[in-house]
Amino acid sequence: MVPVLLVLLLALLLFGAGFALKALWWLAVIVVVLWLLGFVVRPAGTGGRRGRWYRW
């Protein structure tokens, strides 16, 4: 009984890790797209210079 529970627990952990990694990949893709959009859609700064859309 214990080996079966360990295998089920391992399968559950691997499934959870796979889902978390997939979610992190999607989050990384969204952040990169927003970052690239920041280069295209930038407001004009003082003196006609194009500024950054983020503060840091």
Side-chain angles (χ1 to χ4, degrees):
M1 186 72 175
V2 173
V4 171
L5 288 176
L6 287 175
V7 168
L8 288 174
L9 183 64
L10 182 64
L12 184 64
L13 284 173
L14 290 177
F15 174 75
F19 178 75
L21 287 175
K22 187 173 182 178
L24 286 175
W25 272 110
W26 279 110
L27 184 65
V29 167
I30 290 169
V31 168
V32 166
V33 167
L34 288 175
W35 180 63
L36 290 174
L37 280 175
F39 285 111
V40 177
V41 185
R42 289 189 291 185
T46 57
R49 217 176 71 170
R50 291 176 68 89
R52 292 187 215 157
W53 64 281
Y54 52 85
R55 286 214 165 282
W56 44 273

